[in-house]
């Protein structure tokens, strides 16, 4: 989900890998093996500064190693996929969990692109939910998780307080917030659908409570042809998405609004909130005013708070390129990443909850929300992490934009998603 570019189908990708690998070969081939007497370890990253903030500590502990980060925030999958196929990818790879795209743990891991980490000294500490998303179908672990990400409402608490409003705990309260925000001359929830990855945030938040929480085996039922998007709570979720639009919850022209504009509006207090990944609390706050206070909360889908589930997923995770010639250095780096102290430092910089904190306490609001919903056993996994088709998620992206442009109905969107899902079956 972190990429804003739609995934190609596996068929199309497979046909293009050879040519693309040749075109991108120079990107790693030109990296020297040593520099100034130090061994070079290359790491592929998908944007952000959290990983880079850890490097001074690693290099201080390992003065004979220099880490070179290859960052591709705009086209990570399109660059790294061909490099993995061509055998010239960086030594360490940021591994998307699940099976939703061509470089993900399950799909690329099945092709043998990632080294087996099942016997790593830290492997037994990987939480079960994270292990599921970072393992191939045969149980081979291919990544170390860094954060447990989630999707919820991010609120400008100062702007809420000034308007005399509060964070909603029920669906009725969501709609009331929208009405009250309009009366105060504010936008309740910013929506920047021109960045396609944002299209899935509200549907994932709603279906966590309407589909995957009540029916944890729903995807298994889909695989057995005993369930479908069209005949499930997905229909209710998309109806509620449109209900929010009709209630004036969003800014004008969401399809033409970039997400960066939403961030700016929240910082300014003109927009009260957005529904996004928890790490956006850090991104929004990083360039906001010093007195900006953000609140993070699960986004409700019903009028019973006890029915609210929190959608969670492994955030950044890192594995080893199976064809790396520096596996010993890579293993040392992953061992460093797995340490609780490193995990907490990364989580703080990333704005999320650490995946493997050990016995160390986490005091951020985001971490406390995740801890609460984990404790009461009301968490679900982002559905695309477990979808067998790389085209189901793009069908949702296109469909949501179609809903807001009035070109598609809810039935159209879910029919297309069912078709994409069934292709993988």
């Amino acid at each position: 989900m972190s990429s804003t570019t739609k995934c190609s189908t596996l068929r199309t990708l497979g046909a293009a890998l050879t040519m693309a690998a040749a075109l991108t070969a120079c990107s790693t081939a030109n990296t020297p093996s040593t520099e100034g007497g130090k061994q070079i370890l290359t790491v592929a990253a998908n944007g952000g500064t959290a990983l880079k903030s850890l490097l001074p500590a690693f290099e201080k502990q390992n003065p004979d190693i220099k880490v070179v980060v290859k960052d591709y925030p705009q086209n990570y999958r399109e660059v790294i996929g061909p490099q993995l196929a061509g055998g010239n990818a960086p030594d360490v790879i940021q591994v998307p969990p699940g099976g939703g795209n061509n470089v993900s743990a399950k799909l690329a891991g099945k092709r043998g692109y990632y080294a087996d980490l099942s016997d790593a000294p830290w492997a037994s500490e990987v939480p079960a939910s994270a292990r599921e998303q970072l393992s191939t179908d045969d149980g081979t672990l291919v990544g170390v998780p860094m954060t447990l990400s989630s999707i919820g409402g991010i609120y400008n608490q100062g702007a809420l307080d000034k308007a005399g409003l509060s964070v909603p705990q029920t669906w009725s309260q969501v709609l009331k917030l929208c009405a009250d925000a309009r009366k105060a001359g504010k936008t309740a929830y910013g929506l920047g659908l021109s960045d396609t990855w944002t299209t899935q945030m509200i549907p994932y938040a709603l279906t966590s409570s309407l589909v995957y929480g009540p029916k944890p085996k729903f995807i298994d039922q889909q695989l057995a042809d005993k369930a479908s998007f069209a005949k499930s709570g997905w229909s209710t979720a998309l109806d509620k998405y449109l209900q929010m639009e009709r209630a004036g919850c969003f800014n004008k022209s969401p399809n033409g609004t970039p997400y960066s504009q939403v961030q700016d509006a929240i910082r300014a207090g003109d927009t009260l909130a957005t529904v996004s990944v928890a790490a956006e609390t850090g991104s929004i706050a990083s360039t906001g005013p010093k007195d900006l206070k953000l609140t993070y909360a699960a986004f409700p889908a019903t009028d019973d708070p006890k029915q609210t589930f929190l959608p969670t997923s492994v955030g950044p995770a890192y594995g080893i390129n199976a064809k790396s010639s520096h596996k010993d250095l890579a293993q040392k780096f992953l061992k460093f990443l797995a340490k609780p102290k490193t995990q907490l430092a990364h989580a703080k910089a990333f704005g999320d909850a650490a995946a493997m904190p050990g016995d160390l306490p986490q005091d951020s609001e985001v971490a406390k929300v995740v801890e609460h919903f984990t404790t009461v056993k009301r968490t679900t996994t982002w559905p695309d992490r477990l979808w067998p088709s790389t085209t189901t998620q793009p069908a949702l992206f296109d469909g949501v934009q179609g809903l807001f442009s009035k070109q598609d109905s809810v039935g159209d969107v879910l029919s297309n998603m069912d078709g994409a899902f069934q292709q993988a079956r």
Side-chain angles (χ1 to χ4, degrees):
M1 276 193 308
S2 58
S3 171
T4 61
T5 308
K6 294 176 183 176
C7 303
S8 299
T9 62
L10 289 178
R11 184 178 302 173
T12 301
L13 176 64
L17 284 181
T18 302
M19 180 180 293
L23 292 174
T24 57
C26 61
S27 61
T28 53
N30 292 334
T31 302
S33 297
T34 60
E35 180 181 311
K38 296 184 178 182
Q39 301 180 83
I40 300 297
L41 178 71
T42 54
V43 179
N46 188 12
T49 60
L51 176 70
K52 294 177 183 178
S53 71
L54 306 176
L55 302 186
F58 176 77
E59 292 178 343
K60 183 177 181 180
Q61 295 175 23
N62 300 273
D64 59 329
I65 301 175
K66 178 178 176 59
V67 179
V68 175
V69 176
K70 307 273 187 179
D71 197 358
Y72 307 100
Q74 301 301 325
N75 56 349
Y76 185 77
R77 302 172 187 177
E78 290 75 17
V79 172
I80 298 302
Q83 287 183 354
L84 286 169
N88 61 303
D91 302 303
V92 174
I93 306 293
Q94 184 171 332
V95 181
N101 64 75
N102 60 304
V103 297
S104 61
K106 292 187 180 297
L107 295 185
K110 182 179 180 179
R111 294 183 173 86
Y113 293 153
Y114 298 135
D116 184 352
L117 304 175
S118 303
D119 294 329
W122 45 264
S124 61
E125 301 301 318
V126 177
S129 61
R131 178 180 286 273
E132 177 188 28
Q133 296 175 55
L134 291 173
S135 296
T136 59
D137 290 341
D138 65 1
T140 301
L141 181 67
V142 298
V144 55
M146 298 303 296
T147 65
L148 183 62
S149 295
S150 58
I151 295 172
I154 300 172
Y155 298 85
N156 182 328
Q157 188 62 52
L160 283 175
D161 291 343
K162 188 175 181 179
L165 304 176
S166 58
V167 174
Q169 302 298 314
T170 68
W171 176 250
S172 293
Q173 290 173 6
V174 167
L175 298 180
K176 186 176 187 303
L177 175 63
C178 295
D180 291 343
R182 289 201 319 277
K183 292 177 183 178
K186 306 288 186 179
T187 295
Y189 292 94
L191 196 59
L193 299 182
S194 70
D195 291 294
T196 54
W197 67 271
T198 66
T199 60
Q200 65 204 312
M201 295 293 104
I202 290 177
Y204 284 7
L206 294 174
T207 56
S208 180
S209 299
L210 296 173
V211 179
Y212 302 100
K215 297 182 178 180
K217 297 296 184 181
F218 180 77
I219 293 178
D220 290 336
Q221 293 173 347
Q222 284 182 291
L223 291 170
D225 203 20
K226 295 181 179 179
S228 67
F229 292 115
K231 297 180 180 180
S232 75
W234 265 92
S235 182
T236 303
L238 294 189
D239 283 338
K240 285 178 178 285
Y241 206 170
L242 293 179
Q243 185 180 0
M244 290 181 72
E245 181 194 25
R246 293 190 297 270
C249 295
F250 306 128
N251 46 278
K252 294 181 179 179
S253 304
N255 278 349
T257 302
Y259 179 64
S260 60
Q261 187 172 313
V262 171
Q263 292 175 307
D264 289 340
I266 294 173
R267 295 180 184 115
D270 299 325
T271 293
L272 301 180
T274 191
V275 177
S276 192
V277 290
E280 280 301 300
T281 56
S283 298
I284 293 171
S286 64
T287 57
K290 291 183 179 180
D291 62 348
L292 176 63
K293 179 183 178 182
L294 299 176
T295 295
Y296 179 71
F299 190 71
T302 75
D303 281 340
D304 183 356
K306 293 183 179 180
Q307 293 179 352
T308 298
F309 282 74
L310 183 73
T312 62
S313 173
V314 172
Y318 294 90
I320 299 175
N321 175 7
K323 295 184 180 179
S324 168
S325 57
H326 301 100
K327 287 192 178 67
D328 54 337
L329 303 184
Q331 290 169 351
K332 186 175 292 188
F333 187 62
L334 262 61
K335 184 178 180 180
F336 167 78
L337 293 181
K339 293 181 178 179
K341 185 176 180 179
T342 306
Q343 290 265 318
L344 287 179
H346 179 276
K348 182 178 180 180
F350 194 75
D352 231 325
M356 299 165 59
D359 295 328
L360 299 181
Q362 300 190 73
D363 57 6
S364 73
E365 183 178 28
V366 167
K368 289 178 180 178
V369 170
V370 173
E371 181 181 17
H372 167 71
F373 279 89
T374 300
T375 299
V376 298
K377 297 182 179 180
R378 294 207 309 269
T379 63
T380 63
T381 298
W382 296 349
D384 64 90
R385 299 309 196 208
L386 304 176
W387 285 340
S389 167
T390 59
T391 57
T392 305
Q393 188 183 44
L396 174 61
F397 291 173
D398 290 342
V400 170
Q401 289 183 327
L403 289 177
F404 279 83
S405 66
K406 314 300 183 186
Q407 294 179 328
D408 290 323
S409 67
V410 169
D412 294 331
V413 176
L414 298 181
S415 177
N416 289 337
M417 289 175 65
D418 277 325
F421 188 96
Q422 293 303 323
Q423 286 179 0
R425 287 187 65 252

